Amino acid sequence: MLLSIVIFLPLLGVVAIALLRGIGASAVKGIAMAVALLTFLISLGLYTGFDATTAEMQFQESHAWISGLGTRYDIGIDGISLWLVLLTTFLTPVCILAAWNSVEKGLSGFMMSLLALETGMLGVFCATDLFLFFVFWESMLIPMYFLIGIWGGERRIYATVKFVLYTMAGSALMLVGILYLYFQNDNSFALLPLYEKAGTFTHANLLFLAFFIAFAIKVPLFPFHTWLPDAHVEAPTVGSVILAGVLLKMGTYGIVRFCLPLFPDAAATYTPLIVTLAVIGIIYGALVAMVQPDLKKLVAYSSVSHLGFVVLGLFTRHHAGIQGGVLQMINHGLSTGALFLLVGMIYERRHSRMIVDFGGVAKSMPIFATIFMITTLSSIGLPGLNGFVGEFMILLGSFHGGAFSKVYVVLAATGVILAAVYMLWMFQRVMFGTPNKINAALPDLNTRELVVLFPVLLFIVWIGVYPKPFLSRMEKSVNVVVTKVQQETAPAMGHTKIKEVPRYARVDINKEAETK
Amino acid sequence: MIVPLISLILLCPLAAFAFFGLMSLARRSVPRQDYLSTAAMLFALVCSLLLLQQVVPHPEPHTVEWISIGKISFSMGFYLDSVTAIMLIVVTLVSSLVHIFSMGYMHGDPRYPRFFAFLSLFSFSMLFLVVSDNLLGIYIGWELVGLCSYLLIGFWFEKDSAANACKKAFLTTRVGDIGMFIGMMMLFTKFSTLALYGEDGIFALAANLSTGDMVWLSIAGVLIFCGAVGKSAQVPLHTWLPDAMEGPTPVSALIHAATMVAAGVYLTARMFPILTETSSLIIAYIGGITALVAATIAIVRVDIKRVLAYSTVSQLGYMMLGIGVGSYVAGLFHLTTHAFFKALLFLGSGSVIHAFHAMHAHSHDEHDAHGHAHADSDANEHTHEDGDSELVHAHGSDIPPDQDMRNMGGLRHKMPITFATMLIATLSISGVPFLFSGFWSKDAILGGVLERAMEWSSVHHYVLFGMALFAAGITAFYMFRLIFMTFFGEPRNQEMHDMAHESPKVMTVPLIVLAVLSFPVVNVLWFNDAYVTPPKQPHIHAPAHAGVFNDTKGTFSLFGVSEAVAAEEEGAHDTHADEGHHGHSPAHTIAMVLSIIVAGLGILLSWLFYHRRTLSAESVATTFRPLYHLFWRKYYFDEFYNGVLVALTVWKARLFAQFDGTVVDGIVNGIGRVTRDILAAFTGFFDNRVVDGLVNRVAQVTWAMGGRIRRIQTGAIQTYLLIVLAGIVVLILVFRAL
């Protein structure tokens, strides 16, 4: 019941705002904030009640839904979705507070979209029925469509149509895959029984591709990424935050929830191709980001680069890589979310996102500059902050796991240098130097903005210093995925067999046996 | 006692940073933050001194688990051996003195509290690096000190040169760090751990590797050394360090002379047991080349801080050379002596700069801080005020006038304490015999190189010895050039000279303390065999033809030879070189004599050129014009990096950006347009023929939109949905058929 409450409480907020038409703007904001905060608080119950010792789905609920179709309302979370659910419930109130004064027209519509979006996103992460998953997946597009299309920038229509069409092109393929699986699953959409049949599907390669392309567009993986910069640039600040923070994670979540455990052989077959695309994305995204004149576009392309890392980690098919990948999803949500928030804050002051318009901002806005610095450092993977842990584990899994050539790892590692290049260069151009008259007069962050940023910073530091609580809860669930991928692929892979027990295996190895 | 003491040492600066950092974010100012930060550092120093007694011969690391992934787990922990203990003292001592000095030097800077917060963060990171028992911990500390270096170089970020320099420092060192990271991955893949010590640590496991693994181990060793090349500013990644002089001078003393840049040497020394013959030789060559290249560049610099910066690069090369030839103790010994005398030289130069700054403070009343003479990016203002435009700008350089040695001269009467203490440091770094610490440590390295050359009859090592010896002579030359130009002769800029004055006590006391430390006081620790035991190098063996000189060992000695010889007789052959600092072989005698000669020559030439002026530097420069240009242009490293590497990357980036906009996005838009046009045609046809009236209108609207990609309207989505639906129906039929 708890999980359903978390999912649908925001929707209740939408209904409330819709019914209480004619109330003032502050009341609308108050209701939205209260609902989002309450959702977050309740979702903390998922954290405290979560049993880290099992890989089973938890907080499961199952109700008859459309029995004629063979679909049920089946929900549940494991150690992977738990974090994405929490990330969503955490970012939504942050976003509402961030948008407090920036929405001029249609405030109630804006807040309704935001809350409806939250329900859609939470549903995607919790659904354990393929049809239900698809319904949430598609329904989430509608509020996002409004958010960009109504409250966006100049070219918002182009951007939002591109975003929606591109995603739907992918979803169409996925729907085909879902239907085909349905027929191989005794006319049922239930996900958990499918896991038992993993590796036995006919046309598994095609099925894998149908799912993977849908997710690759969402991630977005090179070369499916061009909708992202447009969507980010045109979206309002909060739209960008949600887009980068949560929506992109649905692609990578889909990979780890469906592609890897359901079609392990196909995943192994396509690993070289996908890893190549991921590494291209890492370097390409970084290089393109380097020369962007627009701050938002720069951050958008940096997302392409960072999510290349996540995909690389997932396809290591190794404990370290996949855990790192999942952790990096959260990290990217926090740090890129914070970057978009910061860009939004300075846009509200300066009404420009062009890097050339800035310079010397660190002098007029020292606190802003400090927080921007911390976020930048988190984004470029400085130890002590969250990004490092994820990148370290991904590279470790890539190198150690042996699922693909070490050349990829070396190339990906150069992406780490490039990330520092474009972020620090941007930071220098915006923050350093002597400010001109306009920039010298910019007021520093106010208390509301500090309250928006502080919780995000807290997690950025927490994960960086002590990631254990995060990793330990996802460990069992990731193990299941790894066991599946490795078991199914070991005979087929032959030469690229995963080196599970290296030569000096007695060293630093946990005594507990791996879950079979 | 060890764990609580180390924890305290780490916590003091960390707490200072965290507290003051949060306070400044909350816009609260804390009274006397500088005193509190300094007190925290001094307390850490006391703890470090207490730790000196706690060192045991074969320490075990103290660890806690940090992350565990499946069967892999990573721990964080402390490891305290004699080298750690000595490093802790060096770091906390220099840091404390720099804290005190900064109270005077940075006084009145608008970001004064932030400066101290950064210093605290740096101290914590450096100490964390030093005490870590594993590569991951070292790497974390390593990156954090890099961050602090970035923040402090860019402390006066209003100045473009500072903003460029801090970025350059961070990026250049990161290039090396990636090598180090990949090296760590290689070690981890082999040994499944990043812990160094203990029976399951890398060193114990690596000792058992067979000769077949030597190539692999050499590559891993060199990759890890890449990190040190970046951080310790070795050729070819040395170019960031001279630029880092844009930071406040106390920062140069602490980070870019005494501690952080020495971290590379420390890391290489820590990696001592896994070095192979090949990787050692590469390290030795990089060190030797760096020592020589940087020394030659230093000869022609006119900015007092740049001279010292290149001198630092050169001396770091010495230390690397020492470790590369197996003289573990000598390398680390030079690290400690250098930390003190170079910190002294930098603080001394800071004192000189400060003396000139007072004038700026006068002439720029609106600037409440001397730091702002720096921050002022307006060069014209300087020119106008200082009246030295011809001198400074004739060379087309942008050297701040208060750092330009061509504006100095005759300062010894004005600043007696600064002069005396800097002279002591100069005598030490130049290798003036017996009385100064630098002589002993430099000689230990030179002796170590020559000893290996003679023992192994190795041409490589003879070449390296030649380079090191030559660099030693140049060092003496350019250091005395600095002293003569700054403190002797007639004042070259009377206006500036008149304003100069001795610095306040808060700045001179640290100078005096460091001057005392430039006498051979630390030798007591390093020359104590019972205290410092060099680790074994199981993968380095003397070549078969070596050993000619073995029988003559122990003929020369200065310190405690008897135990050394006794230990040596039972010790393995390959440990001989490690104990080279005792000077008990003919190699050390020869090296000592030669080094005294070249130092004397260097000082003599410097005196003739820059004091007596019987020789003219200008005419020599004209005679050897190409060489002079090579040195003045710093071997064209920056030109190469900016003109080739940076330009290529930016060009590639622009190319990709264009590709992304036209090709990748073009395909997407193209597909979108084609699909929509076909779809529009199809629906149009369908509607016209099958449905009439109202539906017809929709189709017309759809038609009208063709070709205008920028202005798609929502109608397109409906048509799109239609085709999706049609597709699904078709596919379901297909699947049924399957």
Side-chain angles (χ1 to χ4, degrees):
Chain A
M1 201 51 202
L2 187 62
L3 201 52
S4 285
I5 295 175
V6 171
I7 297 174
F8 290 105
L9 192 61
L11 206 60
L12 211 65
V14 176
V15 175
I17 295 175
L19 288 181
L20 299 169
R21 223 176 311 165
I23 52 170
S26 48
V28 170
K29 287 189 276 195
I31 293 172
M33 191 66 199
V35 169
L37 266 182
L38 194 62
T39 313
F40 176 62
L41 288 177
I42 296 175
S43 75
L44 286 179
L46 300 175
Y47 175 83
T48 50
F50 191 83
D51 179 4
T53 59
T54 172
E56 296 292 306
M57 284 287 169
Q58 304 184 31
F59 305 100
Q60 272 188 300
E61 286 170 44
S62 184
H63 303 288
W65 187 27
I66 314 172
S67 45
L69 266 175
T71 180
R72 297 176 61 81
Y73 175 76
D74 284 353
I75 54 171
I77 53 171
D78 65 357
I80 298 169
S81 33
L82 168 72
W83 290 112
L84 293 162
V85 167
L86 289 175
L87 180 69
T88 311
T89 57
F90 170 73
L91 278 181
T92 308
V94 167
C95 282
I96 289 174
L97 190 60
W100 209 249
N101 295 329
S102 58
V103 183
E104 280 152 13
K105 50 165 190 182
L107 179 76
S108 56
F110 185 87
M111 292 298 173
M112 280 157 71
S113 300
L114 209 52
L115 290 173
L117 190 60
E118 186 179 11
T119 291
M121 296 186 294
L122 290 171
V124 166
F125 294 132
C126 297
T128 55
D129 178 286
L130 287 173
F131 193 83
L132 185 67
F133 172 82
F134 191 77
V135 168
F136 278 123
W137 176 277
E138 293 290 284
S139 69
M140 167 204 85
L141 282 178
I142 299 162
M144 200 63 206
Y145 175 75
F146 288 136
L147 276 179
I148 304 178
I150 298 175
W151 292 275
E154 227 168 82
R155 295 172 65 216
R156 56 183 182 272
I157 302 297
Y158 168 69
T160 192
V161 169
K162 192 173 180 181
F163 159 69
V164 169
L165 287 193
Y166 218 146
T167 312
M168 285 184 63
S171 338
L173 279 173
M174 181 166 69
L175 182 59
V176 173
I178 289 176
L179 287 174
Y180 194 27
L181 272 181
Y182 165 83
F183 292 118
Q184 295 190 41
N185 191 29
D186 312 321
N187 291 1
S188 152
F189 287 105
L191 176 63
L192 299 182
L194 277 173
Y195 283 141
E196 307 301 318
K197 302 191 183 81
T200 64
F201 304 117
T202 46
H203 296 100
N205 280 2
L206 287 178
L207 279 169
F208 173 84
L209 282 183
F211 277 91
F212 182 76
I213 291 175
F215 298 140
I217 290 171
K218 199 84 181 175
V219 168
L221 189 67
F222 175 89
F224 307 114
H225 64 275
T226 51
W227 63 267
L228 184 72
D230 285 319
H232 269 313
V233 168
E234 300 309 324
T237 299
V238 168
S240 289
V241 175
I242 292 286
L243 192 60
V246 186
L247 286 197
L248 304 189
K249 307 302 152 355
M250 294 185 170
T252 44
Y253 170 78
I255 289 171
V256 74
R257 172 69 69 232
F258 301 104
C259 289
L260 292 178
L262 288 180
F263 320 108
D265 294 311
T269 311
Y270 289 108
T271 294
L273 174 74
I274 293 164
V275 168
T276 307
L277 290 178
V279 170
I280 291 177
I282 292 172
I283 294 173
Y284 183 90
L287 281 172
V288 177
M290 203 183 296
V291 292
Q292 293 307 317
D294 182 323
L295 276 174
K296 259 193 163 181
K297 234 174 179 166
L298 188 148
V299 180
Y301 276 106
S302 85
S303 290
V304 175
S305 187
H306 281 143
L307 285 153
F309 258 107
V310 176
V311 173
L312 184 77
L314 298 182
F315 278 87
T316 57
R317 313 203 304 284
H318 180 270
H319 300 275
I322 298 184
Q323 274 198 47
V326 175
L327 187 69
Q328 196 68 349
M329 291 184 208
I330 305 163
N331 290 341
H332 178 264
L334 294 170
S335 55
T336 308
L339 277 178
F340 277 120
L341 286 172
L342 288 159
V343 172
M345 287 169 187
I346 200 164
Y347 179 78
E348 281 177 17
R349 289 167 167 72
R350 186 70 174 72
H351 299 290
S352 167
R353 289 187 310 259
M354 292 298 146
I355 294 174
V356 286
D357 291 338
F358 294 103
V361 174
K363 203 173 167 76
S364 46
M365 305 174 69
I367 292 173
F368 174 78
T370 307
I371 295 176
F372 204 120
M373 181 88 254
I374 296 171
T375 316
T376 300
L377 294 171
S378 145
S379 174
I380 65 180
L382 189 94
L385 300 175
N386 59 353
F388 172 72
V389 184
E391 266 176 22
F392 172 72
M393 290 171 69
I394 289 170
L395 288 174
L396 185 81
S398 313
F399 208 90
H400 196 50
F404 41 81
S405 160
K406 297 194 177 10
V407 177
Y408 289 116
V409 191
V410 176
L411 287 172
T414 61
V416 176
I417 302 179
L418 290 175
V421 174
Y422 66 76
M423 288 305 284
L424 291 186
W425 191 26
M426 177 270 283
F427 192 83
Q428 180 189 350
R429 284 176 294 167
V430 173
M431 296 297 175
F432 294 162
T434 316
N436 60 21
K437 278 216 171 59
I438 307 171
N439 289 328
L442 296 177
D444 209 342
L445 299 185
N446 59 37
T447 312
R448 177 184 60 84
E449 289 165 325
L450 279 176
V451 172
V452 168
L453 291 168
F454 184 73
V456 186
L457 286 185
L458 184 73
F459 282 102
I460 283 177
V461 176
W462 183 1
I463 297 179
V465 174
Y466 194 61
K468 212 172 162 183
F470 298 84
L471 293 172
S472 63
R473 280 177 178 72
M474 68 175 71
E475 183 168 358
K476 287 284 178 291
S477 307
V478 169
N479 281 353
V480 172
V481 177
V482 173
T483 321
K484 277 213 158 52
V485 189
Q486 289 183 349
Q487 261 179 3
E488 307 298 329
T489 54
M493 296 284 292
H495 60 289
T496 48
K497 218 175 88 178
I498 310 264
K499 196 162 61 178
E500 242 329 289
V501 185
R503 271 171 76 173
Y504 300 95
R506 63 182 202 282
V507 181
D508 262 29
I509 281 178
N510 280 353
K511 300 293 177 285
E512 56 177 37
E514 187 190 341
T515 20
K516 278 280 162 184
Chain B
M1 266 310 270
I2 291 178
V3 173
L5 273 179
I6 296 184
S7 310
L8 266 180
I9 293 174
L10 290 175
L11 270 178
C12 285
L14 182 65
F17 165 71
F19 179 66
F20 296 125
L22 284 178
M23 279 296 144
S24 77
L25 270 189
R27 298 190 186 91
R28 297 264 186 287
S29 73
V30 185
R32 299 274 48 129
Q33 183 196 337
D34 46 356
Y35 281 35
L36 289 169
S37 303
T38 312
M41 216 52 238
L42 283 168
F43 186 70
L45 171 62
V46 172
C47 294
S48 306
L49 286 169
L50 290 175
L51 265 181
L52 208 54
Q53 306 286 328
Q54 307 272 332
V55 175
V56 290
H58 296 286
E60 278 296 308
H62 309 268
T63 58
V64 286
E65 189 180 72
W66 187 51
I67 46 177
S68 72
I69 314 153
K71 299 176 188 171
I72 308 160
S73 87
F74 294 100
S75 299
M76 286 290 141
F78 307 144
Y79 177 79
L80 182 80
D81 66 358
S82 44
V83 173
T84 318
I86 296 174
M87 283 297 287
L88 283 177
I89 292 176
V90 171
V91 174
T92 50
L93 180 59
V94 178
S95 179
S96 303
L97 292 173
V98 166
H99 270 80
I100 296 168
F101 185 88
S102 304
M103 285 191 222
Y105 189 84
M106 299 299 288
H107 182 75
D109 192 282
R111 290 191 286 269
Y112 184 76
R114 181 192 296 203
F115 184 79
F116 280 88
F118 286 169
L119 280 189
S120 298
L121 178 63
F122 171 78
S123 305
F124 161 75
S125 314
M126 187 68 207
L127 293 166
F128 185 80
L129 188 165
V130 167
V131 298
S132 278
D133 75 314
N134 65 88
L135 273 174
L136 185 61
I138 291 179
Y139 186 79
I140 290 174
W142 188 264
E143 291 289 306
L144 287 178
V145 289
L147 165 70
C148 300
S149 167
Y150 170 83
L151 294 171
L152 284 164
I153 296 170
F155 189 73
W156 288 317
F157 56 76
E158 291 93 342
K159 206 170 36 155
D160 283 339
S161 53
N164 283 325
C166 69
K167 184 186 61 187
K168 181 175 177 181
F170 193 93
L171 296 180
T172 315
T173 51
R174 207 154 222 237
V175 171
D177 294 351
I178 293 300
M180 175 178 170
F181 190 83
I182 295 170
M184 281 165 55
M185 293 290 142
M186 284 180 74
L187 290 176
F188 183 81
T189 306
K190 192 80 166 180
F191 303 122
S192 293
T193 181
L194 286 174
L196 296 173
Y197 300 96
E199 57 183 36
D200 288 336
I202 286 174
F203 294 152
L205 298 172
N208 302 325
L209 289 178
S210 63
T211 43
D213 285 320
M214 282 310 106
V215 173
W216 171 87
L217 192 63
S218 298
I219 294 173
V222 170
L223 280 170
I224 292 200
F225 175 65
C226 280
V229 169
K231 201 64 95 196
S232 288
Q234 301 292 291
V235 171
L237 296 180
H238 65 285
T239 56
W240 67 269
L241 183 58
D243 286 14
M245 297 301 120
E246 294 294 339
T249 305
V251 169
S252 311
L254 175 62
I255 301 186
H256 304 117
T259 55
M260 184 192 83
V261 288
V265 179
Y266 178 75
L267 173 76
T268 317
R270 278 280 179 233
M271 291 294 116
F272 201 63
I274 62 158
L275 297 182
T276 63
E277 282 157 36
T278 321
S279 48
S280 287
L281 193 63
I282 291 173
I283 291 169
Y285 261 115
I286 295 275
I289 292 169
T290 306
L292 191 57
V293 164
T296 53
I297 298 174
I299 299 177
V300 298
R301 300 267 76 83
V302 291
D303 178 335
I304 187 169
K305 285 188 74 182
R306 292 290 203 283
V307 175
L308 293 176
Y310 279 103
S311 164
T312 306
V313 174
S314 172
Q315 297 300 311
L316 291 165
Y318 265 105
M319 300 170 204
M320 289 294 186
L321 174 63
I323 289 164
V325 298
S327 301
Y328 175 84
V329 171
L332 288 169
F333 177 32
H334 195 53
L335 190 163
T336 41
T337 59
H338 175 262
F340 295 135
F341 64 65
K342 189 50 70 66
L344 169 52
L345 285 169
F346 267 112
L347 293 184
S349 76
S351 174
V352 171
I353 297 166
H354 184 77
F356 286 151
H357 265 147
M359 183 190 66
H360 287 278
H362 276 292
S363 50
H364 300 262
D365 273 340
E366 71 274 26
H367 288 173
D368 49 356
H370 50 255
H372 271 236
H374 270 292
D376 219 316
S377 57
D378 191 353
N380 294 328
E381 208 169 338
H382 284 305
T383 316
H384 174 68
E385 299 286 346
D386 305 334
D388 58 359
S389 59
E390 277 166 35
L391 250 170
V392 175
H393 296 286
H395 288 254
S397 59
D398 45 6
I399 302 160
D402 43 30
Q403 298 182 17
D404 194 328
M405 295 195 296
R406 290 168 301 189
N407 290 337
M408 300 173 184
L411 279 174
R412 68 181 188 280
H413 304 299
K414 286 261 183 179
M415 313 180 70
I417 300 175
T418 306
F419 165 66
T421 51
M422 274 188 91
L423 185 64
I424 290 170
T426 304
L427 291 168
S428 189
I429 191 178
S430 304
V432 170
F434 309 123
L435 203 54
F436 300 99
S437 63
F439 168 75
W440 293 107
S441 55
K442 186 183 282 189
D443 181 67
I445 292 173
L446 286 170
V449 183
L450 189 62
E451 186 172 63
R452 176 145 290 187
M454 289 163 79
E455 273 181 16
W456 288 11
S457 308
S458 153
V459 181
H460 287 303
H461 290 91
Y462 277 114
V463 172
L464 286 167
F465 178 73
M467 291 162 77
L469 195 65
F470 189 41
I474 301 177
T475 305
F477 176 79
Y478 69 69
M479 282 313 300
F480 271 89
R481 172 176 173 266
L482 183 148
I483 291 289
F484 288 134
M485 283 179 84
T486 312
F487 292 106
F488 285 85
E490 292 304 309
R492 292 187 197 82
N493 185 326
Q494 198 58 48
E495 189 194 349
M496 285 176 79
H497 187 79
D498 290 342
M499 305 302 300
H501 58 94
E502 182 59 284
S503 299
K505 276 215 179 60
V506 71
M507 290 165 70
T508 50
V509 169
L511 295 181
I512 294 167
V513 173
L514 284 167
V516 170
L517 290 166
S518 299
F519 294 101
V521 281
V522 278
N523 297 21
V524 185
L525 291 172
W526 290 109
F527 283 169
N528 183 349
D529 272 329
Y531 198 68
V532 183
T533 9
K536 300 260 184 296
Q537 289 193 299
H539 300 303
I540 292 191
H541 311 283
H545 59 268
V548 194
F549 293 92
N550 279 358
D551 50 345
T552 54
K553 265 182 187 298
T555 51
F556 180 85
S557 78
L558 273 162
F559 290 91
V561 186
S562 49
E563 315 102 46
V565 173
E568 216 169 80
E569 271 155 10
E570 54 186 347
H573 176 80
D574 52 49
T575 59
H576 285 161
D578 300 338
E579 290 157 22
H581 61 278
H582 292 284
H584 44 59
S585 71
H588 279 266
T589 320
I590 300 170
M592 191 177 281
V593 172
L594 286 175
S595 81
I596 293 173
I597 293 173
V598 294
L601 269 177
I603 297 171
L604 180 71
L605 278 174
S606 190
W607 183 69
L608 290 174
F609 271 114
Y610 295 101
H611 193 54
R612 281 292 301 270
R613 298 202 172 269
T614 33
L615 297 174
S616 156
E618 285 72 26
S619 66
V620 174
T622 328
T623 322
F624 300 98
R625 198 153 198 63
L627 209 56
Y628 174 78
H629 268 284
L630 188 67
F631 297 162
W632 179 252
R633 287 266 155 222
K634 302 167 262 179
Y635 291 76
Y636 297 94
F637 272 105
D638 278 321
E639 281 80 357
F640 173 73
Y641 289 149
N642 289 331
V644 180
L645 296 184
V646 174
L648 256 179
T649 310
V650 173
W651 177 77
K652 217 160 48 182
R654 288 196 199 290
L655 188 77
F656 281 3
Q658 210 153 38
F659 177 80
D660 202 63
T662 51
V663 180
V664 183
D665 206 24
I667 291 173
V668 174
N669 282 335
I671 290 175
R673 189 178 308 146
V674 168
T675 316
R676 197 198 44 231
D677 287 354
I678 292 173
L679 210 59
F682 173 76
T683 41
F685 177 78
F686 184 81
D687 283 350
N688 279 333
R689 285 298 174 87
V690 185
V691 195
D692 296 306
L694 196 75
V695 190
N696 245 334
R697 290 275 303 152
V698 178
Q700 277 160 16
V701 170
T702 321
W703 263 108
M705 289 186 314
R708 282 188 181 177
I709 188 67
R710 296 282 151 95
R711 302 179 63 190
I712 307 178
Q713 292 180 14
T714 47
I717 286 187
Q718 292 151 13
T719 49
Y720 195 79
L721 274 172
L722 196 70
I723 208 173
V724 170
L725 212 63
I728 290 165
V729 172
V730 171
L731 281 161
I732 289 180
L733 292 175
V734 171
F735 288 143
R736 282 290 188 195
L738 282 169

